[in-house]
Amino acid sequence: MPQFHLPLAQMTMNVNIMPNMQGPLVAALLYDGLCTFEFGIAAEIFGLPRPEMGSGWYRFASCAIEPGPLRAHGGFSILPDGGADLLEQADLIIIPGWKGSDIPVPQSLTNALRRARSKGARLASICSGAFVLAEAGFLDGSIATTHWRYADALRERFPAIEVDDTSLYRGANGIYTSAGSAAGIDLMIEIVRQDFGALAANSVARRIVMPAHRGGGQAQFLERPVALRVSASIAPVFEYIRQHIHHQWSVSEMASKARMSKRTFERRFMEATGEWPGQWLINERLEAAKEILAQTNQPMEKVAEAVGFGSSHALRHHFRRLVRLSPSDYRRQFSKVPMNKVASEANAQNTLKGRTA
């Protein structure tokens, strides 16, 4: 039997906004082919009842931007709370991904977003949702981020945008973008922090078992290049260097260990890893440092010495440059050591330094 669908403007829906609340209205877009996880992030952060937050907490509604039936990744259908007209009532609009970086954004949607923005709404995208904001012109002349896989496509299609493919999220003047799916959680918690303060944001983060705060400037943890083709002659060198990561390796010394000339070694190394030996060594040292930071309360000088950076200054420099996070912040977020123990030992060390100064 053929199916007939009314235009969006004629669709009749029962609007279901969280009752007994007086706070900002958060509207999350629904569309056919919805990115399920990204929408779930918005619903989890803003759509769950949180009576401990009081009556000023967010109200939440899902808004269909096209006629049904609407289906989401995972094989299920969606029943929205309302239609696109809800966007003009929203204080915050969430764009939970998009159908694809090469899928056109309907003009009806960009027009609706512009109307909402003119009434003061903030807009936030997760992952490929940045393409919707870009199509509506909200990102021109600004710095925006998206998942690193989509960064080149965003640059090519929208040259007026400065695309940051390393940060977890970016935001200014009520327009926010975030990177890969999980980075959307960090952005949503940051918005809660801006609206209701750190205690409320920390409470939400604890409930979903997330770090209380990851700054937007923290790096997307990009996949490290893996060995493309490691010959039998060079493979043992990788493991030996990892086992002696504290040693001050030079490229010449690495080549000698592999019984090759420096030029041949560099060529073989690049073929195997896609990186030059020096950069590979820095990355390996960072990985080793992450493990020590997460599993011990060793002071930074000891960590730096153990992984071959030589000084805590060098450790911090490379962490900030490549991880976009300080070693201390990394430890706070990923430590398996009770933080009260780390803090007490750090205070003891500072006291001792003060006595001997």
Side-chain angles (χ1 to χ4, degrees), residues 22-230:
Q22 304 167 4
L25 174 60
V26 179
L29 303 189
L30 295 181
Y31 51 84
D32 192 42
L34 178 72
C35 299
T36 307
F37 180 54
E38 286 87 337
F39 175 80
I41 290 169
E44 177 76 20
I45 301 296
F46 302 109
L48 291 184
R50 301 183 191 273
E52 71 276 13
M53 298 296 186
S55 61
W57 189 248
Y58 299 101
R59 298 170 294 149
F60 181 79
S62 58
C63 304
I65 62 165
E66 59 188 358
L70 303 179
R71 294 150 295 191
H73 293 168
F76 54 89
S77 299
I78 311 165
L79 180 63
D81 292 324
D85 56 315
L86 276 178
L87 298 180
E88 295 190 39
Q89 305 174 41
D91 299 286
L92 172 64
I93 298 172
I94 309 295
I95 304 165
W98 185 236
K99 302 180 182 186
S101 60
D102 57 344
I103 303 298
V105 179
Q107 186 173 353
S108 59
L109 174 56
T110 57
N111 288 343
L113 293 176
R114 292 187 190 109
R115 288 194 297 271
R117 179 62 176 164
S118 70
K119 295 184 177 182
R122 294 172 294 168
L123 296 96
S125 67
I126 303 174
C127 197
S128 57
F131 287 85
V132 177
L133 293 180
E135 191 66 45
F138 294 123
L139 303 180
D140 288 352
S142 66
I143 304 174
T145 191
T146 186
H147 192 290
W148 56 268
R149 292 178 59 195
Y150 303 131
D152 288 341
L154 190 63
R155 287 191 189 96
E156 184 176 346
R157 285 184 54 192
F158 303 98
I161 302 171
E162 182 179 342
V163 178
D164 175 4
D165 59 3
T166 62
S167 295
L168 292 178
Y169 55 86
R170 302 293 302 231
N173 303 317
I175 303 292
Y176 308 91
T177 56
S178 60
S181 303
I185 302 176
D186 296 290
L187 173 58
M188 301 301 109
I189 291 176
E190 172 61 22
I191 291 174
V192 172
R193 178 175 288 100
Q194 293 179 12
D195 290 349
F196 290 92
L199 290 178
N202 292 346
S203 175
V204 173
R206 282 196 302 271
R207 184 163 171 176
I208 60 176
V209 197
M210 279 288 292
H213 180 57
R214 291 203 296 171
Q218 181 172 325
Q220 300 181 35
F221 289 95
L222 307 184
E223 296 175 358
R224 287 277 314 282
V226 297
L228 306 177
R229 184 184 64 192
V230 182

Side-chain angles (χ1 to χ4, degrees), residues 4 14 72 77 104 106 110 120 134 139 161 192 198 301 316-317 326 330 332 337 342:
F4 300 93
N14 295 321
S77 299
T110 57
L139 303 180
I161 302 171
V192 172
E301 285 292 343
R316 293 186 180 94
H317 168 75
S326 73
Y330 185 90
R332 275 191 288 271
V337 179
V342 175

Side-chain angles (χ1 to χ4, degrees), residues 224-227 230 234-247 249 254 269 272-273 275 280-281 283-285 287-288 291 306-308:
R224 287 277 314 282
V226 297
V230 182
I234 197 173
V237 178
F238 288 92
E239 190 57 32
Y240 187 87
I241 293 173
R242 290 188 183 107
Q243 292 176 359
H244 299 80
I245 198 71
H246 63 280
H247 183 73
W249 291 98
M254 293 182 196
F269 203 100
T273 68
E275 296 177 299
W280 177 87
L281 183 59
N283 287 330
E284 288 297 320
R285 285 176 169 156
E287 292 303 312
E291 186 173 350
V307 301

